[in-house]
Structure formats: structure tokens, C-alpha cells
Amino acid sequence: MAAVSQYLLNLMISNDLAILIWLVILAISFLIDKKWKLGTALCAFAIAAAVGPSAMLGEGEVGLTGFVLAFAAIQRRIEVRLEDLIIAYWIVRWLLNSALRAGRPLNRKTLFNFFLLYILSIFAGAVVYMIKFGTESYFPWLYFVKYLEYFLVFLYVSNHIRDEKHARGLLRLMLVLAIPVGGWAVCQVAAGTTFASDGSYRAVLPFHDGPGPLSEYTLMLIPLALFGGIVGKLISNRLAYLASLLLVLALFAAGSRLAMAGLLVAVGLGSLWFSRKALVAFVSGLGVMVGILFAFPKLAPESLVVRVLDFSTMYGNPNSSAAQRLDIWRTAIYTWSKDPILGVGLTGFPVADNYYIRMLVELGVVGLLIFLLCLVQFGWTGIKVYQGGRSAESRLFKAIGVSYLCTMLAILIYAVSLDAFQPIRDMNILWYYTGIMFALGPMLKRRSQILQQAPRPVPRSMVHAPSPLRLPS
């Protein structure tokens, strides 16, 4: 029986099964697209961005691993997924139709914003790199193309959301399809198989060798499950609780302490601001998770528990990841001091394990300032959705606005110890999410204006019955 269970677990976490799931979801999305008209790959982002086959491109030796042609990078590498090609097809098709005025027109408000300015600063960083280090390396342009894809995904989605029902359906799809991703991570730890490149028992996404992308994926979806699913009733209660539990277990299996801290801070602040029901559900989920880990010790290997709970290994060991990061940051700050305004250029510094420091050293003060302004605009977008939901008397859209703000806050905290927004990560789903939020804000504003202009019903307490007719005596 144990051998059968182990075989089933190994089968469930195989890359072959991941490819099969990806193909099935892609086929289903063709059917969905007939109704939603949003683009096949974009409808399937919730799971395709997590389990789709990918290639790592970088400067180094070439190696063939299963279905993936991976290029081992010496210092930096970039991830290219199969659905990137499908995305490119849909976006180019839409842009050509818009130029010929045969398709959905481009909304200029979604084009001219700080996100575009941020992409232009990335382009400038690539130019600075070429000026300083020569034109032989093509790698900065690979990074720029991936950043450009992020922007085009955001642009495509924000211009194709037809109405609130459409946006709600896509968010529901994104949340429901996160359930198998959480289950995937739990099965990895239960199988007792080492997937991380450092040899630890930490869960990773398919075709990855590090737990960072899985941590980011869970940070994007857990707030949506708690606030949008449980509080806002985006999906049924059973599915919302199941998604929350599996994603929290997946985050624990990834073993990232700062990601967990970011989630606790974000969910705590969001619950105090909006709904304590989400906090109760989150704390209850943590209790259930602890009970599951005690009942099934295979889900909590000793190395993983020690990593998550023993902070002395983080600060007391000079060879720990925290100590190594501090050394990298000191080197990065010293490198930045030589070119403080424009930086050393895109990809001009090895991985910094801190996105803010990386922006500072590669794009200088100008690039970091633009990035921070971009973040402020994203935060304001979430606030507008929350305000629009409140004005439109919609608890669901208020919950969605809060969940997006919590997602951004959790990822921003996590970015202190990781290059969270760089192209190696599975960040397309974040810009997919952001595009939906940009489209929702104006829609909810128009809805609230219509409600304000509509005549209000007269309260019963103000309605007086007519006096009875008295006949003359």
C-alpha cells in the first residue's frame, strides 16, 4: 500500500502530468474564449503560468532536461514559457486590428501611465548597459522584451474587460485553478522528493529549481481566496476554504520566511481595515494546517520546519542566506555609488536578492523613483476599486479591491529579500490581475454614478396613509 501511495504521489508531481494539465486547461480555455473573447492563453493564465513548460535563457552551457530546453546561466537568466508565444500572437493580432480600426480600440488611459514610464526606464537601462559594456551581449534586450510582455499583458487585459460580470468570471477562474497548484506543492513535500537546487525539501513549481516563484504565486492568490472568496463570495465557501488551506500549505512548503511575514502583515492589516472574518478564517486555517502537519509528519520534514522556525540559522550563521544577502547588498550599494543617477545598466549587476536595491544599482535613482511611482499608481488602482465597490454597494468588489492591495503589499515586503519582479519569476499573472483592476475602477465609478442619479425609494416611515373620508352627518 505504501509503495502504491508513493507511486501515485510521484505521478502527481511529475512534469509529464504538468504538461498534460497545461494542455487540458489550454483546450478548455478555447471553449471559454468563445464566450469571453479575451484570448486563449489569457483565460488560462491562472494555471498555465504555474505549470506550463518553460525554458531558462541565459549565458552559459546548454542542457536538455526532459521536455525543457534549459540554458544554465552564469549570472543571470530569463524564463520563457510556451504560453508566451500564444500571448504574443493574441496581442499582436489585437494591436494590428486596432491600428486598422477593425478590433477593440485602445484605451489611452491604460497606455499612458507610470507603468509605461517604468518600461521606458527599463529600455533606457538596456541602452546604458550597451554604452558601458559594449554591444556584444544581447541579454539586456531579452530582459527588456520580457518586461515589455508584462506591460502588453496588462494593456491587453485592461482593454478587453467588457463589464463587471466578465471581470468577476476571470477572477473566479484564476482562483479556482489555483487549487491544483496548491495541491501540487503539498504532494511534493508528501512524496519526500528533493526538488530545490540547494537539496532542501522545499516545494517548487514545475520546471523550476527554486521555491521563489511558488512563494510569489501563493502571495498573489491567498488574499484573493480570503477576501474575494470567503468574504466577497466570489466562489463557494467550500472552494474558497479549500483554496486558502492548500495555498497556505504551499507557502509553508516553499519555506520562505519573509514571504510568510509579508502575508501575515498584509492579511492582518486588510482584516483590520475591511473584515475580521478573513482574519478569523486565516487564523483558523493556520490552526488546521498545524493539525494536518502533526497528523501527517511527512508534510513537514525536519529540514523544512527548522528553516521556517529556527531564526538562529538565519542570523547566527555567517554562511546563511541572510548573511550572504547582506554582503551582496553592501557590494551593490558600493557599485551604485559610482553611478548614482542612471546606474550601471540593466543586468549590469548579478542577482541582488532585493528588488529595490537592484533597481537602484541598475537603473539609478531615476529608475527607482519611477518604479516607486508605478507602485503608488497600482495601489491607487486598488483603492479606486474598493471605493467604487463601496459607492456601488457591492461587497464583492470592495473585497476584491482589498485583496489586490494585500497582494501588492505582501509581494513588496517579499521583494526585500528577493528580486520579486524580475523576468525569471512567474509575474504575468500579477499583471493579468492588475489589468483587471484597471478596467474595474472606471466601471464601478460609472455604476456608482448611475446609482446616485437614480431616484431613491421613499422609506416606509415617511409614507403616511391618507386620512379616512368622513361623510357629513
Side-chain angles (χ1 to χ4, degrees):
M1 187 66 182
V4 174
S5 301
Q6 186 67 33
Y7 173 77
L8 291 176
L9 284 172
N10 291 334
L11 178 64
M12 291 176 66
I13 59 178
S14 65
N15 286 339
D16 297 354
L17 181 62
I19 292 176
L20 179 61
I21 293 174
W22 184 81
L23 291 174
V24 170
I25 295 299
L26 204 58
I28 293 175
S29 68
F30 271 105
L31 302 177
I32 294 174
D33 188 55
K34 290 183 179 180
K35 178 180 179 181
W36 286 352
K37 304 295 182 185
L38 186 61
T40 303
L42 299 181
C43 289
F45 250 131
I47 196 167
V51 302
S54 63
M56 305 305 294
L57 302 181
E59 299 172 346
E61 299 179 356
V62 180
L64 186 63
T65 57
F67 289 86
V68 183
L69 186 63
F71 296 83
I74 296 174
Q75 289 186 335
R76 301 290 286 272
R77 56 184 182 173
I78 189 170
E79 182 178 40
V80 179
R81 312 190 71 89
L82 284 184
E83 59 263 23
D84 290 338
L85 304 177
I86 308 173
I87 294 167
Y89 164 75
W90 283 102
I91 292 176
V92 170
R93 177 184 172 183
W94 166 60
L95 291 176
L96 289 176
N97 287 335
S98 297
L100 298 173
R101 298 185 178 181
R104 184 177 290 271
L106 176 65
N107 185 350
R108 292 186 178 182
K109 290 184 178 180
T110 62
L111 176 61
F112 298 107
N113 48 49
F114 284 114
F115 198 1
L116 176 62
L117 195 59
Y118 174 54
I119 300 302
L120 293 177
S121 71
I122 297 293
F123 176 81
V127 173
V128 169
Y129 180 92
M130 303 298 277
I131 293 173
K132 291 188 175 183
F133 301 102
T135 59
E136 296 181 359
S137 176
Y138 61 88
F139 207 53
W141 298 109
L142 284 179
Y143 261 65
F144 168 70
V145 169
K146 191 66 178 179
Y147 277 110
L148 182 61
E149 180 192 345
Y150 289 164
F151 178 71
L152 292 177
V153 166
F154 156 79
L155 196 66
Y156 188 95
V157 175
S158 60
N159 278 272
H160 282 75
I161 300 295
R162 295 193 306 272
D163 49 34
E164 299 162 24
K165 182 180 179 181
H166 190 187
R168 187 169 61 247
L170 292 177
L171 289 171
R172 185 181 292 120
L173 176 73
M174 190 167 71
L175 187 54
V176 170
L177 293 179
I179 294 175
V181 178
W184 176 285
V186 174
C187 290
Q188 277 186 16
V189 180
T193 306
T194 302
F195 287 89
S197 57
D198 59 0
S200 61
Y201 290 94
R202 299 167 66 187
V204 300
L205 289 176
F207 306 103
H208 287 79
D209 60 359
L214 176 61
S215 300
E216 292 172 351
Y217 183 86
T218 55
L219 291 180
M220 292 180 222
L221 274 300
I222 290 175
L224 183 61
L226 289 172
F227 293 101
I230 295 175
V231 180
K233 307 298 182 184
L234 182 63
I235 57 177
S236 67
N237 273 340
R238 291 182 180 179
L239 285 178
Y241 280 108
L242 177 62
S244 302
L245 179 60
L246 287 176
L247 289 171
V248 170
L249 281 169
L251 180 58
F252 171 79
S256 176
R257 288 166 289 208
L258 194 60
M260 298 178 196
L263 180 66
L264 288 172
V265 171
V267 171
L269 292 176
S271 300
L272 292 175
W273 174 33
F274 179 60
S275 173
R276 287 171 176 77
K277 182 179 180 180
L279 183 61
V280 172
F282 183 63
V283 173
S284 302
L286 291 179
V288 173
M289 184 189 75
V290 172
I292 291 175
L293 295 179
F294 273 107
F296 302 96
K298 289 188 68 175
L299 295 178
E302 183 178 355
S303 60
L304 181 60
V305 175
V306 169
R307 174 178 173 80
V308 172
L309 299 180
D310 189 0
F311 286 88
S312 63
T313 61
M314 184 176 179
Y315 296 103
N317 184 2
N319 296 320
S320 66
S321 58
Q324 293 172 359
R325 284 190 178 98
L326 290 175
D327 290 337
I328 293 173
W329 296 347
R330 293 190 191 99
T331 305
I333 295 299
Y334 174 76
T335 304
W336 164 76
S337 64
K338 297 181 179 179
D339 298 281
I341 305 300
L342 298 178
V344 298
L346 189 65
T347 72
F349 188 81
V351 177
D353 276 341
N354 183 310
Y355 197 74
Y356 310 105
I357 291 180
R358 182 185 162 213
M359 286 289 98
L360 185 65
V361 69
E362 291 189 353
L363 304 183
V365 175
V366 175
L368 179 62
L369 179 61
I370 293 174
F371 174 66
L372 295 177
L373 291 174
C374 186
L375 294 179
V376 170
Q377 185 174 32
F378 291 157
W380 180 241
T381 298
I383 292 174
K384 285 197 295 185
V385 172
Y386 171 80
Q387 292 177 339
R390 184 175 61 181
S391 302
E393 301 175 358
S394 171
R395 185 171 180 80
L396 169 61
F397 289 111
K398 285 196 297 182
I400 289 174
V402 173
S403 68
Y404 177 77
L405 290 171
C406 291
T407 290
M408 291 302 299
L409 177 60
I411 294 177
L412 291 177
I413 294 174
Y414 187 40
V416 173
S417 68
L418 198 74
D419 293 339
F421 293 92
Q422 69 172 338
I424 188 177
R425 308 298 174 190
D426 292 313
M427 297 303 291
N428 266 327
I429 193 171
L430 177 63
W431 311 122
Y432 173 79
Y433 194 1
T434 303
I436 295 175
M437 301 301 288
F438 259 76
L440 265 179
M443 291 179 184
L444 293 173
K445 184 177 180 180
R446 288 194 297 268
R447 178 179 169 184
S448 63
Q449 290 174 347
I450 293 173
L451 288 176
Q452 291 174 359
Q453 294 173 0
R456 295 282 182 176
V458 181
R460 278 190 166 185
S461 59
M462 299 180 63
V463 177
H464 300 282
S467 302
L469 183 61
R470 294 184 180 180
L471 298 174
S473 55

